[in-house]
C-alpha cells in the first residue's frame, strides 16, 4: 500500500545545495527561511564568522526571493516602485534599493540587477510577488516571473573569495568592480557572478540554474580547498552584517505589509537610508509622504552604537541619563564584535536625543543569575568593519 | 497654444455645473466632451427618427441651491411642475399609487403607516441634507474646517433627539426589505417603495449595506424625492446648464474625446498640465478636473504609473458594474395601461419584493432574469416635443441586467430580452406591442460605450458604505483633489454621488476656488 505523507505540504523545501550542505551540518542546526530548510550554523557560529573575516565562506541564498522583470515597461514599473533612480543603473550592474507603501513605510529592501535593455532581476528577503503584481497594474509591456525556485544562488564572502574564483578558472574576475556583474560559461550554461554580498567584506554572489548547483558547489569547494572555504549559516551572517551596519528585516525594521499596529513600521529616513530616496525622480511610491518625513525629520533614527564594557546590549532600552528616567530608544541588534574588539549595537534612538548622552540598560546572565548594568553608548558614523579590499579593484587575493 | 485655467473632462451635468461656477469666478474654462452633445447620461438623443430620449428620464433631487446660484431660470430651466406619482402596477388594474399626499390602493393601516414612515424619513433626510453639498472631511485631517463638519454632523444627528438618533443609526444601513416589512403589509406598495433605495446599484431588497441611506440621499433635492419631468424636459435642464456655463464664459468643445490627462514631472513632483485629445491635439491648463468615472480617470486617462500603488489598486477594486438597462419604444400612439386613465406616472412593474430579489439573483450570476422588473415613464406626455405629433415614446429602466452577460450581448441575447420585456409590458398595457414602431435596448455595456462610463454604472461606482462620504471614491481622492496636484474629480464617483443632484460638480468647484 502506498504511504502518503499527511504533512507533505508542511515539510520544508530542500535547497539545491542541500546534498552537500547537509553532511556538513554536524549539529543538525536547522531553522527555516521562506520555507526552505536552512542552516542556523553548521558546527560553530563563531568559527564560521572567523572564516568570513579571515578566509572565506559560502552562504546559501537559494531561499532568497528572485523575480525576473522584463518588457518595455520594466524600467518604468521598477522606477515607480522603488525609491532610487533605476534609470541610472547600467547594464550588468546591481543596485541596493528599498520600496515603500503609499505612506512611505518600508516594505522591504533588496537588490536590482540590470541584465539587459528591458530585463531586470529583483532579489529580496521576503516574498514580494503580491506587491509586484499590484505594482504592475497598468503596465502592459511587462512580465513578472518568480524565478526563486529555478535559479540557485550561493554567496561567497571573505578575504580569499576572489582567489577562490580565480582558482576556479573565472578569468579576470579580479577586475569585477563592486556591484558589477560578469557572466561565465559553466558546463554549457551561464554562471552569473555579481560582486555583492551581506558581509561588509570582499565577496561575490554566484547565480546558476538549479540543475547545476551541485556542480558549482564541487568546483568551488575544489578550488577553495586551500583557501579556507567553509559554509556558514544564519548566525554567522548576522554577526558579519551587524559589524558592517546592514539592516535585517524583523530586527531593524518591521516589513510594512506585515505590520499590524499602525506606524510600528519604519520609513527609510528612520533607518538612515535617506540616501536611497531620490527626490529628483518626479514620482515613486510614497514620495509625497517621504517628502513630508524628510522635511519634518524622522522621529527615530537608526544609529550604530559603541557601548562601554563587554556585555552585549540585546533588547536593551536606551535612556538619556544614567538613572534610566525617560526612554529615548531601543537596541535592535547587539553583539561583542571580535573584529572591532568592541561592544556594538544597532539602535533606534529618538532623533532629538541623538546629540546628548545615551545609556543602555543591559541585563546579562552569569551562572543563570541575571545582572543589570547601565552602560554609556557612543554613536559611531562608520561601520565597525569596512576593510579597503571591499571596494578595491582589482580585488586582492586576500 | 491656448492656455486655460481649468480644463474639465466631460460635459455631463456635473462637468457643466463645475464649469459654470469656475467661469463665474473669472476662470478661463474649457469643457471637452467626447459625445456630440452635452449632458452625459442626461443627454437627449434621437433613437428613432423624430423620437428623442435621455438615459435619465426623470429628475428627483436636483439641487435648488445650484439652480438659484447659477440662475438657471434665466437660462430656461423652469421649475418642474407637477411631480409624477409612483404607481405600483397591477396586471388587473388594482394599482397602488404614491403621491406627495399619500398612498392609495392600500388598506387604511398601510395608508396611515405611510404618513409616519414618510415623516420619519424626512426627519432623517433633513438631518443629513446639508452634508451632500459639503466637502467631506479627510480621515485623519484635523483642520478646523474638517473638525467643524464632523461636529456639525454629530450635532445634527444629536438634535434629532435621543430616540430618533438611535433609530437613525438603526435604519441607515438596513436592507430595504427589513425597513418595509417592519412598516407595511401590501406587497406592491413595499416593492414600489423599495425602488429608490436600490435602483442604479448592485443591490436588491435583501442586500445589506446602504439602501436606506441611498433613499435618504434621493429625498434630499428640490422635489423631496418626487420624480418629475422638468417643463422643458431633461433637455431643458441640460440646455440651461450649458447656457449657464457658456454664458459665464466657459468654452465647450463637443466631439473632443480625451485620450489622456497630461501629467508632467520634475524635481518638485508631478502635476496635471492639460489634456491630449484623441486627435492628438494637446491643450494646456493650470488644472484638469475630471467628471469621468474614477476608474476611467485614473486607470485610463492618467495611468497608474503616475499614481501610488496602493491607491491605484483601490481604484481598480471599486465596484463599477451597472445593472440597469434602458428600453426605448417609439410608439404610434399613446399607450393605455389597464386601470389607468393616463400613463402619466412613474410606473413600476414589480409585484413584490421577492420578484425584485429573484431578478437580482439571476443577474448576480451573469444572467438576464426571466422575470425582469422595471420602471416606466412616458416622457412625451410631459414633453410632447420628444415625439412626432400624436405619437409617444416609452422609456423604461430595467433591472437587473448585467453588463457582462454570460455568453456576451449577442444579437440573439438582445432580441430575447427585448421580446421578453415587450411581453411583460403587454400584460399591463394590452395592445402595446402593436404600437411599437421601433424598440431600442441599451444594456449597461451599451451605456458604457455610448457615454464612456465604466460598467454603465449610473453612479460611476457603487453607492455603498465603503465608497461613500469621506471614502468616495476612495480615501486620498475623496475631497475632489487627487494625489496628483492640479487634478481634481467632479463626477458622480465623488461625494455625494450621482442621480442628477449636481452636488459633486458644485462641491468640486468650491474646493478649487477655496
Amino acid at each position: 500500500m502506498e504511504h502518503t505523507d499527511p504533512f507533505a505540504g508542511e515539510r520544508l523545501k530542500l535547497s539545491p545545495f542541500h546534498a552537500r550542505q547537509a553532511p556538513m551540518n554536524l549539529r543538525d542546526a536547522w531553522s527555516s527561511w521562506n520555507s526552505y530548510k536552512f542552516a542556523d550554523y553548521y558546527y560553530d557560529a563563531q568559527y564560521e564568522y572567523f572564516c568570513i573575516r579571515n578566509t572565506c565562506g559560502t552562504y546559501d541564498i537559494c531561499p532568497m526571493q528572485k523575480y525576473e522583470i522584463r518588457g518595455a515597461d520594466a524600467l518604468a514599473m521598477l522606477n515607480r516602485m522603488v525609491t532610487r533612480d533605476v534609470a541610472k543603473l547600467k547594464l550588468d550592474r546591481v543596485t541596493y534599493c528599498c520600496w515603500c507603501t503609499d505612506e512611505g513605510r518600508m516594505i522591504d529592501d533588496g537588490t536590482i540587477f540590470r541584465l539587459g535593455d528591458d530585463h531586470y532581476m529583483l532579489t529580496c528577503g521576503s516574498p514580494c510577488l503580491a506587491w509586484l503584481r499590484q505594482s504592475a497594474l497598468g503596465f502592459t509591456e511587462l512580465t513578472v516571473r518568480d524565478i526563486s525556485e529555478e535559479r540557485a544562488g550561493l554567496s561567497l564572502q571573505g578575504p580569499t573569495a576572489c582567489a577562490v574564483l580565480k582558482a576556479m578558472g573565472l578569468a579576470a574576475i579580479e577586475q569585477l568592480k563592486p556591484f558589477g556583474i560578469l557572466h561565465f560559461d559553466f558546463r554549457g550554461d551561464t554562471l552569473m557572478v555579481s560582486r555583492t554580498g551581506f558581509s561588509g567584506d570582499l565577496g561575490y554572489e554566484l547565480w546558476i540554474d538549479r540543475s547545476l548547483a551541485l556542480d558549482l558547489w564541487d568546483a568551488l569547494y575544489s578550488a577553495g580547498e586551500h583557501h579556507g572555504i567553509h559554509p556558514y549559516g544564519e548566525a554567522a551572517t548576522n554577526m558579519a552584517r551587524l559589524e558592517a551596519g546592514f539592516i535585517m528585516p524583523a530586527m531593524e525594521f518591521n516589513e510594512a505589509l506585515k505590520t499590524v499596529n499602525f506606524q510600528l513600521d519604519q520609513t527609510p529616513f528612520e533607518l538612515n537610508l535617506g540616501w536611497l530616496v531620490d527626490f529628483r525622480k518626479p514620482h515613486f511610491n510614497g514620495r509625497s509622504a517621504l517628502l513630508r518625513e524628510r522635511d519634518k525629520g524622522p522621529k527615530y533614527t537608526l544609529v550604530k552604537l559603541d557601548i562601554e564594557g563587554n556585555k552585549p546590549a540585546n533588547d536593551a532600552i536606551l535612556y538619556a541619563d544614567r538613572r534610566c528616567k525617560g526612554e529615548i530608544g531601543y537596541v535592535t541588534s547587539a553583539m561583542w564584535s571580535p573584529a572591532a574588539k568592541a561592544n556594538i549595537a544597532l539602535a533606534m534612538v529618538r532623533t532629538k536625543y541623538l546629540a546628548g548622552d545615551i545609556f543602555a540598560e543591559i541585563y546579562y546572565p552569569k551562572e543563570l543569575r541575571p545582572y543589570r548594568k547601565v552602560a554609556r553608548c557612543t554613536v559611531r558614523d562608520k561601520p565597525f568593519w569596512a576593510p579597503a579590499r571591499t571596494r578595491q579593484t582589482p580585488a586582492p587575493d586576500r | 497654444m491656448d492656455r486655460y485655467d481649468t480644463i474639465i473632462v466631460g460635459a455631463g451635468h456635473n462637468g457643466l455645473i463645475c464649469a459654470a461656477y469656475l467661469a463665474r469666478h473669472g476662470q478661463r474654462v474649457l469643457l471637452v466632451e467626447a459625445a456630440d452633445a452635452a449632458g452625459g447620461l442626461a443627454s437627449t438623443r434621437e433613437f428613432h427618427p423624430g423620437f428623442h430620449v435621455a438615459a435619465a428620464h426623470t429628475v428627483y433631487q436636483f439641487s435648488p441651491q445650484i439652480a438659484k446660484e447659477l440662475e438657471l431660470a434665466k437660462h430656461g430651466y423652469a421649475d418642474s411642475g407637477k411631480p409624477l406619482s409612483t404607481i405600483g402596477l397591477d396586471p388587473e388594474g388594482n394599482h397602488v399609487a404614491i403621491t406627495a399626499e399619500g398612498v392609495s390602493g392600500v388598506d387604511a393601516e398601510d395608508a396611515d403607516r405611510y404618513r409616519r414612515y414618510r415623516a420619519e424619513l424626512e426627519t432623517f433626510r433633513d438631518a443629513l441634507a446639508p452634508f451632500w453639498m459639503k466637502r467631506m472631511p479627510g480621515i485623519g485631517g484635523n483642520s478646523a474646517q474638517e473638525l467643524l463638519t464632523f461636529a456639525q454632523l454629530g450635532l445634527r444627528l444629536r438634535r434629532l433627539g435621543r430616540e430618533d438618533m438611535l433609530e437613525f443609526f438603526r435604519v441607515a444601513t438596513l436592507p430595504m426589505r427589513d425597513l418595509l416589512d417592519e412598516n407595511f403589509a401590501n406587497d406592491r406598495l413595499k416593492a414600489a417603495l423599495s425602488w429608490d433605495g436600490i435602483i442604479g446599484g448592485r443591490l436588491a431588497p435583501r442586500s445589506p449595506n446602504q439602501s436606506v441611506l441611498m433613499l435618504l440621499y434621493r429625498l434630499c433635492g428640490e422635489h423631496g424625492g418626487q420624480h418629475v419631468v422638468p417643463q422643458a424636459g431633461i433637455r431643458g435642464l441640460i440646455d440651461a446648464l450649458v447656457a449657464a456655463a457658456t454664458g459665464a464664459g466657459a468654452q465647450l468643445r463637443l466631439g473632443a474625446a480625451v485620450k489622456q490627462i497630461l501629467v508632467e514631472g520634475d524635481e518638485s513632483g508631478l502635476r496635471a498640465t492639460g489634456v491630449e485629445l484623441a486627435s492628438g491635439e494637446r491643450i494646456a491648463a493650470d488644472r484638469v478636473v475630471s467628471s469621468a468615472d474614477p476608474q476611467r480617470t485614473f486607470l485610463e486617462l492618467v495611468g497608474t504609473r503616475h499614481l501610488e500603488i496602493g491607491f491605484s489598486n483601490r481604484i481598480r477594486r471599486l465596484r463599477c458594474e451597472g445593472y440597469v438597462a434602458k428600453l426605448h419604444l417609439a410608439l404610434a400612439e399613446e399607450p393605455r395601461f389597464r386601470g389607468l386613465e393616463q400613463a402619466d406616472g412613474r410606473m413600476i412593474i414589480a409585484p413584490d419584493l421577492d420578484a425584485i430579489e429573484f431578478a437580482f439573483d439571476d443577474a448576480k450570476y451573469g444572467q438576464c432574469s426571466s422575470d425582469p422588473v422595471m420602471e416606466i415613464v412616458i416622457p412625451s406626455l410631459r414633453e410632447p416635443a420628444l415625439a412626432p405629433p400624436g405619437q409617444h415614446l416609452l422609456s423604461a429602466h430595467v433591472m437587473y441586467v448585467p453588463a457582462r452577460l454570460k455568453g456576451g450581448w449577442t444579437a440573439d441575447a438582445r432580441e430575447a430580452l427585448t421580446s421578453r420585456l415587450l411581453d411583460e409590458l403587454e400584460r399591463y398595457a394590452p395592445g402595446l406591442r402593436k404600437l411599437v414602431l421601433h424598440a431600442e435596448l441599451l444594456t449597461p455595456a451599451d451605456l458604457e460605450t455610448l457615454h464612456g462610463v465604466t460598467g454603465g454604472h449610473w453612479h460611476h461606482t457603487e453607492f455603498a458604505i465603503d465608497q461613500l462620504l469621506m471614502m468616495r471614491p476612495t480615501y486620498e481622492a475623496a475631497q475632489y483633489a487627487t494625489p496628483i496636484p492640479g487634478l481634481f474629480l467632479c463626477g458622480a464617483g465623488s461625494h455625494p454621488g450621482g442621480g442628477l443632484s449636481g452636488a459633486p460638480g458644485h462641491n468640486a468647484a468650491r474646493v478649487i476656488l477655496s
Side-chain angles (χ1 to χ4, degrees):
Chain A
M1 198 177 83
E2 196 183 330
H3 177 74
T4 53
D5 179 358
F7 302 107
E10 295 297 315
R11 306 245 177 233
L12 294 174
K13 291 189 279 194
L14 300 180
S15 152
F17 298 114
H18 187 76
R20 295 293 180 271
Q21 293 180 145
M24 300 176 83
N25 196 330
L26 301 179
R27 297 286 177 242
D28 267 339
W30 300 106
S31 58
S32 69
W33 177 18
N34 290 339
S35 60
Y36 275 90
K37 192 170 188 174
F38 196 75
D40 212 3
Y41 53 92
Y42 287 80
Y43 173 59
D44 179 84
Q46 290 276 333
Y47 175 80
E48 291 158 27
Y49 158 82
F50 280 111
C51 288
I52 303 172
R53 289 292 177 241
N54 296 323
T55 56
C56 73
T58 61
Y59 178 67
D60 186 355
I61 49 176
C62 294
M64 197 140 79
Q65 302 297 292
K66 304 172 260 312
Y67 302 99
E68 179 192 78
I69 297 162
R70 303 186 85 131
D73 280 340
L75 173 61
M77 176 274 203
L78 283 170
N79 228 358
R80 184 263 214 137
M81 185 176 110
V82 306
T83 58
R84 233 178 163 175
D85 192 352
V86 187
K88 290 182 180 155
L89 183 63
K90 295 192 171 72
L91 183 66
D92 285 332
R93 296 285 299 165
V94 184
T95 188
Y96 173 60
C97 61
C98 69
W99 48 99
C100 298
T101 62
D102 295 9
E103 296 77 28
R105 322 299 296 185
M106 201 157 107
I107 294 172
D108 206 350
D109 61 351
T111 49
I112 296 176
F113 293 60
R114 176 142 180 230
L115 302 176
D117 274 347
D118 296 321
H119 182 189
Y120 297 84
M121 179 172 80
L122 172 77
T123 72
C124 52
S126 295
C128 190
L129 195 58
W131 187 251
L132 284 168
R133 286 259 160 83
Q134 293 193 40
S135 306
L137 175 69
F139 294 92
T140 47
E141 302 295 309
L142 183 74
T143 56
V144 175
R145 211 160 61 84
D146 186 346
I147 54 170
S148 306
E149 297 270 322
E150 61 197 68
R151 295 291 282 173
L154 193 63
S155 185
L156 175 68
Q157 303 286 312
T160 64
C162 182
V164 172
L165 295 181
K166 267 202 269 188
M168 210 179 103
L170 303 190
I173 186 68
E174 71 279 4
Q175 296 301 333
L176 183 59
K177 291 179 179 155
F179 291 101
I181 298 169
L182 279 174
H183 302 270
F184 300 92
D185 285 337
F186 185 84
R187 311 280 150 88
D189 210 321
T190 301
L191 168 68
M192 184 171 88
V193 182
S194 57
R195 190 168 162 188
T196 47
F198 201 48
S199 67
D201 210 311
L202 176 63
Y204 301 85
E205 286 170 331
L206 314 177
W207 312 89
I208 198 154
D209 187 84
R210 74 174 284 144
S211 63
L212 290 168
L214 295 180
D215 288 347
L216 172 66
W217 181 282
D218 293 341
L220 197 64
Y221 271 75
S222 165
E225 193 181 353
H226 302 298
H227 295 279
I229 194 169
H230 194 280
Y232 65 94
E234 190 58 28
T237 213
N238 197 25
M239 294 171 72
R241 70 91 197 173
L242 179 49
E243 288 180 337
F246 297 153
I247 59 169
M248 281 278 257
M251 298 191 75
E252 275 66 41
F253 73 100
N254 225 356
E255 296 170 39
L257 299 180
K258 298 179 185 168
T259 306
V260 176
N261 290 314
F262 184 58
Q263 292 199 344
L264 284 185
D265 39 21
Q266 287 77 24
T267 68
F269 290 104
E270 288 179 311
L271 293 163
N272 224 335
L273 295 177
W275 59 281
L276 290 183
V277 184
D278 191 345
F279 287 114
R280 286 166 299 184
K281 279 202 297 183
H283 182 55
F284 54 85
N285 214 55
R287 188 181 189 277
S288 315
L290 288 170
L291 202 56
R292 285 195 297 275
E293 167 99 349
R294 184 197 68 181
D295 294 345
K296 194 179 59 161
K299 191 174 176 197
Y300 282 86
T301 303
L302 183 75
V303 291
K304 303 174 192 72
L305 293 183
D306 186 348
I307 303 171
E308 66 180 4
N310 62 2
K311 304 297 181 218
N314 294 304
D315 303 324
I317 288 177
L318 304 176
Y319 300 88
D321 68 70
R322 206 174 267 286
R323 288 168 304 149
C324 299
K325 292 272 184 282
E327 299 174 10
I328 60 165
Y330 54 94
V331 166
T332 57
S333 305
M335 69 181 276
W336 171 260
S337 162
K341 304 279 186 290
N343 190 21
I344 68 170
L346 287 174
M348 292 294 267
V349 181
R350 296 268 295 279
T351 308
K352 64 176 173 180
Y353 290 100
L354 273 178
D357 290 339
I358 301 174
F359 293 93
E361 184 185 24
I362 300 169
Y363 288 83
Y364 63 97
K366 204 186 277 178
E367 303 288 342
L368 299 182
R369 183 178 158 178
Y371 293 83
R372 172 181 180 269
K373 75 177 284 188
V374 176
R376 177 179 289 278
C377 307
T378 309
V379 175
R380 298 283 183 224
D381 293 331
K382 296 264 181 305
F384 296 100
W385 184 254
R389 62 175 170 260
T390 309
R391 293 174 305 280
Q392 282 167 353
T393 308
D397 278 346
R398 53 164 297 114
Chain B
M1 192 165 70
D2 283 342
R3 193 177 173 85
Y4 295 90
D5 293 320
T6 301
I7 293 172
I8 297 180
V9 180
H13 72 292
N14 280 312
L16 289 166
I17 287 166
C18 188
Y21 277 102
L22 296 182
R24 287 166 73 96
H25 278 78
Q27 288 202 3
R28 287 200 71 203
V29 179
L30 175 68
L31 265 158
V32 284
E33 166 59 47
D36 291 325
L41 281 165
S43 65
T44 299
R45 46 182 273 284
E46 191 174 44
F47 72 97
H48 185 65
F51 291 86
H52 300 81
V53 72
H57 61 203
T58 56
V59 175
Y60 46 90
Q61 61 180 147
F62 191 73
S63 159
Q65 181 190 332
I66 293 171
K68 189 163 162 254
E69 287 174 356
L70 296 182
E71 301 172 286
L72 294 187
K74 270 205 218 164
H75 298 293
Y77 172 67
D79 184 20
S80 33
K82 201 171 101 214
L84 304 173
S85 48
T86 295
I87 297 163
L89 285 183
D90 174 73
E92 307 307 323
N94 301 317
H95 309 307
V96 169
I98 307 160
T99 64
E101 287 74 47
V103 290
S104 58
V106 298
D107 63 22
E109 197 178 336
D110 271 355
D112 181 49
R113 275 182 170 272
Y114 178 76
R115 279 187 286 278
R116 277 184 281 153
Y117 167 85
R118 178 81 197 175
E120 186 179 73
L121 288 185
E122 283 173 2
T123 308
F124 298 156
R125 172 198 71 189
D126 294 345
L128 286 178
F131 301 95
W132 307 124
M133 294 291 281
K134 264 192 202 315
R135 167 186 180 274
M136 283 291 107
I139 293 171
N142 286 321
S143 75
Q145 185 57 49
E146 291 178 316
L147 293 175
L148 188 67
T149 306
F150 269 130
Q152 281 174 333
L153 184 58
L155 194 65
R156 287 196 75 102
L157 293 177
R158 191 65 193 87
R159 275 214 200 118
L160 288 172
R162 186 183 141 80
E163 276 178 24
D164 278 354
M165 182 180 73
L166 293 175
E167 187 63 7
F168 171 79
F169 285 125
R170 190 183 72 84
V171 304
T173 59
L174 269 189
M176 280 313 298
R177 172 142 205 156
D178 296 63
L179 183 69
L180 295 167
D181 279 349
E182 282 173 12
N183 283 285
F184 305 107
N186 186 296
D187 282 335
R188 221 166 277 284
L189 175 66
K190 288 196 278 189
L193 288 175
S194 77
W195 197 260
D196 284 335
I198 55 182
I199 189 171
R202 192 169 71 178
L203 287 173
R206 285 189 197 274
S207 306
N209 212 323
Q210 74 305 325
S211 44
V212 176
L213 214 50
M214 165 72 105
L215 183 62
L216 295 175
Y217 171 50
R218 285 192 164 139
L219 296 180
C220 75
E222 183 176 9
H223 318 291
Q226 299 281 325
H227 287 243
V228 297
V229 176
Q231 270 173 25
I234 304 289
R235 187 159 49 181
L237 173 60
I238 297 302
D239 288 349
L241 289 173
V242 169
T246 55
Q251 293 175 43
L252 172 61
R253 276 181 66 175
L254 299 170
V258 172
K259 188 163 100 192
Q260 61 167 330
I261 292 170
L262 298 171
V263 175
E264 286 172 22
D266 56 23
E267 288 178 19
S268 57
L270 297 178
R271 183 159 189 93
T273 57
V275 298
E276 183 184 340
L277 302 180
S279 62
E281 182 187 351
R282 288 176 168 231
I283 313 170
D286 289 346
R287 74 184 64 73
V288 177
V289 183
S290 176
S291 70
D293 68 82
Q295 285 193 346
R296 187 147 309 222
T297 300
F298 289 115
L299 303 185
E300 288 182 34
L301 299 181
V302 172
T304 56
R305 65 192 61 209
H306 299 309
L307 299 164
E308 305 282 288
I309 293 166
F311 178 82
S312 314
N313 282 275
R314 289 206 301 280
I315 295 293
R316 173 181 63 83
R317 289 192 296 259
L318 292 175
R319 302 188 297 285
C320 302
E321 306 89 34
Y323 280 89
V324 187
K326 199 69 206 295
L327 178 72
H328 298 143
L329 301 181
L331 301 174
E333 56 187 72
E334 186 181 337
R336 297 287 167 193
F337 282 72
R338 187 179 289 139
L340 286 180
E341 211 166 292
Q342 192 176 39
D344 185 28
R346 180 174 68 126
M347 296 160 289
I348 289 170
I349 295 182
D352 55 25
L353 290 169
D354 277 349
I356 305 177
E357 195 72 40
F358 292 152
F360 180 56
D361 288 344
D362 291 335
K364 271 195 293 195
Y365 305 106
Q367 281 149 357
C368 262
S369 174
S370 52
D371 291 302
V373 291
M374 62 186 117
E375 167 190 314
I376 305 149
V377 170
I378 316 293
S380 47
L381 288 173
R382 294 292 173 109
E383 193 196 351
L386 291 174
Q391 302 191 319
H392 284 273
L393 72 103
L394 179 149
S395 166
H397 293 310
V398 181
M399 293 203 292
Y400 294 86
V401 179
R404 280 180 274 284
L405 183 72
K406 255 185 202 161
W409 280 108
T410 59
D412 283 352
R414 294 167 169 286
E415 179 51 39
L417 178 58
T418 307
S419 175
R420 181 69 198 86
L421 293 172
L422 290 175
D423 286 348
E424 187 66 13
L425 283 165
E426 186 75 20
R427 287 181 60 213
Y428 295 85
L432 183 85
R433 241 182 197 283
K434 283 198 227 94
L435 303 181
V436 177
L437 304 171
H438 175 72
E440 177 189 63
L441 176 73
L442 297 177
T443 68
D446 297 327
L447 292 173
E448 171 163 7
T449 312
L450 209 53
H451 299 293
V453 54
T454 301
H457 198 296
W458 285 14
H459 296 273
H460 291 191
T461 186
E462 196 68 12
F463 192 88
I465 205 83
D466 58 318
Q467 301 185 170
L468 271 186
L469 303 170
M470 58 288 282
M471 302 285 278
R472 186 165 185 86
T474 182
Y475 49 98
E476 302 297 331
Q479 283 77 33
Y480 310 99
T482 70
I484 296 182
L487 177 66
F488 295 81
L489 299 179
C490 75
S494 291
H495 171 77
L500 282 179
S501 75
H506 161 271
N507 296 356
R510 276 243 294 249
V511 166
I512 292 162
L513 291 169
S514 67

